[in-house]
């Protein structure tokens, strides 16, 4: 994989999301909510895709929106279904996610990214607009959510969630990549400074409150979690985000363990996929493609003590049950 950077500044240039149609209850973009019609294509390695997997678990949308899991190692044609029998997604019948992109737009030449939502009858990609995908799962698919599903994007908290998300996106979710993919020292320095300033701010915010916004789990927590869970296995070393490890930031480490131990979060995390993807795909960053053995993952199971802060993880709802057998991740340690 070639990492695109600006020759002038050395900054990582992120590809835009080209396909932004929305699947809505009223079908106004031509894509109505319909259980079983769409397939969510993800990699368990990818933080942006993992938001969708967690959201879907918390809301109990597993049977309404089936999951396709790509091999964590892309080849030159990008994401592929080599984990499935005969190397094909069993429902879409395709070998590469690119086939769904090109079914939607034969002239498309941009990146092939996960998460991607594909329309099963036509085989066409509907959307790769990951920030919208999770919000629409929360707000447009309500008729198909499980009994006891939490409200992950409550109306009265949306402004605050959006504001927190903007900062977390720029200075955490994206900043780790901007540090890791920078091709000039100044671009790295800038991303590193923004990242740790924001993590300090988030530590202060979370010192006395269990979740980022309100007293329940929301979309904001899901977005922060997917970066934190990758921090010590990948971002600290591979992306040089190494002022501290997550395990050396007591508030954030306890917060991340609290979420990890909440049904719907840790049971979606596959550290093997995460580590192999980053260390083996980014050959510019890690030319030997050696995957480090550490860190000791069993620490994720240690007590976090955050219950003492109160909070109601699922609000008036309930935790999800275990994941479907076909989606269970292997034991992680
Ligand atoms: N392209 C998106 C989506 C998320 C993304 O970057 N996904 C990664 C995996 S973590 C991917 O699929 N990269 C391959 C590519 O963009 O070609 C964005 O950054 O706005």
């Amino acid at each position: 994989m070639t990492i695109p950077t600006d020759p002038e500044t050395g900054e990582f240039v992120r590809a835009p999301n080209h396909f932004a149609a929305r699947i809505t209850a009223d079908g106004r973009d031509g894509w109505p909510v319909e259980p079983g019609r769409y397939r969510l294509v993800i990699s368990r390695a990818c933080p942006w895709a993992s938001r969708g997997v967690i959201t879907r678990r918390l809301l109990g949308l597993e049977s309404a929106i089936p999951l396709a899991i790509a091999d964590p190692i892309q080849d030159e044609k990008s994401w592929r279904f080599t984990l499935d029998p005969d190397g094909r997604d069993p429902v879409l019948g395709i070998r590469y996610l690119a086939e769904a992109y090109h079914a939607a737009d034969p002239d498309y030449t941009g990146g092939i990214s996960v998460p991607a939502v594909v329309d099963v009858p036509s085989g066409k990609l509907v959307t790769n607009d990951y920030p919208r995908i999770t919000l629409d799962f929360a707000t447009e698919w309500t008729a198909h959510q499980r009994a006891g599903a939490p409200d992950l994007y409550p109306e009265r908290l949306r402004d605050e969630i959006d504001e927190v998300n903007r900062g977390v996106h720029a200075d955490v979710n994206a900043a780790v990549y901007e540090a890791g993919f920078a091709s000039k020292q100044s671009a790295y320095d800038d991303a590193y400074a923004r990242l740790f300033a924001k993590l300090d701010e988030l530590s202060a915010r979370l010192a006395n409150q269990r979740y980022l916004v309100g007293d329940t789990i929301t979309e904001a927590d899901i977005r922060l979690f997917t970066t934190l869970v990758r921090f010590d296995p990948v971002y600290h070393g591979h992306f040089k985000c190494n002022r501290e490890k997550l395990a050396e930031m007591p508030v954030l480490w306890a917060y991340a363990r609290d979420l990890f131990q909440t049904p719907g979060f840790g049971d979606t995390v596959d550290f093997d996929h995460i580590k192999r993807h980053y260390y083996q795909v980014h050959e510019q960053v890690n030319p030997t493609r050696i995957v480090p053995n550490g860190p000791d993952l069993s620490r994720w199971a240690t007590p976090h003590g955050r219950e003492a802060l109160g909070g109601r993880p699922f609000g008036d709802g309930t935790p999800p049950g275990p994941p479907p057998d076909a989606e269970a991740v292997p034991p992680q340690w």
Side-chain angles (χ1 to χ4, degrees):
M1 176 190 162
T2 311
I3 297 162
T5 55
D6 182 315
E8 219 48 11
T9 62
E11 287 167 4
F12 171 50
V13 182
R14 187 167 276 286
N17 300 314
H18 182 79
F19 298 88
R22 290 180 59 187
I23 298 167
T24 58
D26 65 8
R28 60 187 176 275
D29 284 5
W31 302 108
V33 160
E34 204 182 301
R37 173 164 174 177
Y38 305 97
R39 210 154 164 72
L40 174 64
V41 182
I42 60 115
S43 160
R44 292 212 188 268
C46 174
W48 321 97
S50 296
R51 293 177 183 183
V53 185
I54 294 169
T55 303
R56 174 179 167 274
R57 283 271 299 124
L58 296 177
L59 299 174
L61 288 171
E62 290 100 327
S63 61
I65 311 171
L67 191 67
I69 303 174
D71 191 309
I73 312 297
Q74 299 125 289
D75 71 8
E76 69 288 349
K77 290 196 263 180
S78 193
W79 299 104
R80 50 192 182 148
F81 296 108
T82 28
L83 304 179
D84 292 299
D86 301 328
R88 284 183 193 277
D89 178 76
V91 173
L92 297 169
I94 56 178
R95 291 182 182 280
Y96 285 93
L97 176 58
E99 295 169 56
Y101 276 67
H102 293 128
D105 179 355
D107 300 326
Y108 179 69
T109 55
I112 308 297
S113 61
V114 288
V117 183
V118 179
D119 175 48
V120 174
S122 66
K124 292 180 178 175
L125 174 74
V126 177
T127 173
N128 65 351
D129 186 10
Y130 62 88
R132 200 64 247 173
I133 289 172
T134 46
L135 296 178
D136 284 345
F137 284 178
T139 58
E140 299 288 339
W141 287 79
T142 45
H144 306 285
Q145 294 170 5
R146 67 182 173 89
D151 185 355
L152 297 174
Y153 196 46
E155 283 216 53
R156 70 196 158 79
L157 297 175
R158 284 186 191 176
D159 288 348
E160 193 181 346
I161 293 172
D162 292 348
E163 197 196 321
V164 170
N165 285 348
R166 269 192 293 277
V168 167
H169 176 81
D171 295 334
V172 181
N173 304 145
V176 291
Y177 280 86
E178 289 157 4
F181 288 164
S183 63
K184 293 208 167 151
Q185 185 72 43
S186 55
Y188 162 77
D189 291 346
D190 173 71
Y192 174 103
R194 285 188 287 112
L195 169 67
F196 284 99
K198 184 53 118 180
L199 292 179
D200 287 343
E201 185 191 312
L202 292 167
S203 288
R205 182 181 182 110
L206 288 164
N208 298 309
Q209 70 186 59
R210 191 159 172 198
Y211 302 111
L212 277 173
V213 179
D215 67 347
T216 63
I217 292 167
T218 68
E219 170 81 18
D221 299 295
I222 297 168
R223 293 186 183 197
L224 180 55
F225 174 78
T226 58
T227 293
L228 295 183
V229 80
R230 287 163 177 73
F231 207 88
D232 289 359
V234 177
Y235 302 146
H236 180 269
H238 184 62
F239 279 176
K240 307 182 188 77
C241 297
N242 62 357
R243 195 189 77 182
E244 281 104 16
K245 301 188 186 92
L246 175 66
E248 294 164 347
M249 295 183 266
V251 171
L252 290 179
W253 175 221
Y255 165 80
R257 275 169 14 254
D258 185 5
L259 292 176
F260 186 91
Q261 293 168 29
T262 302
F265 283 84
D267 55 35
T268 68
V269 175
D270 190 323
F271 286 111
D272 169 61
H273 282 210
I274 291 171
K275 285 170 55 173
R276 284 194 294 120
H277 166 74
Y278 283 92
Y279 285 101
Q280 298 209 322
V281 172
H282 306 152
E283 284 186 80
Q284 266 168 275
V285 180
N286 184 38
T288 63
R289 302 180 75 232
I290 289 172
V291 182
N293 290 328
D296 173 5
L297 299 169
S298 64
R299 296 179 196 150
W300 279 97
T302 57
H304 52 77
R306 301 271 300 172
E307 306 86 351
L309 294 173
R312 303 175 310 134
F314 291 91
D316 296 329
T318 53
D325 286 347
E327 291 179 17
V329 292
Q332 296 293 301
W333 53 79

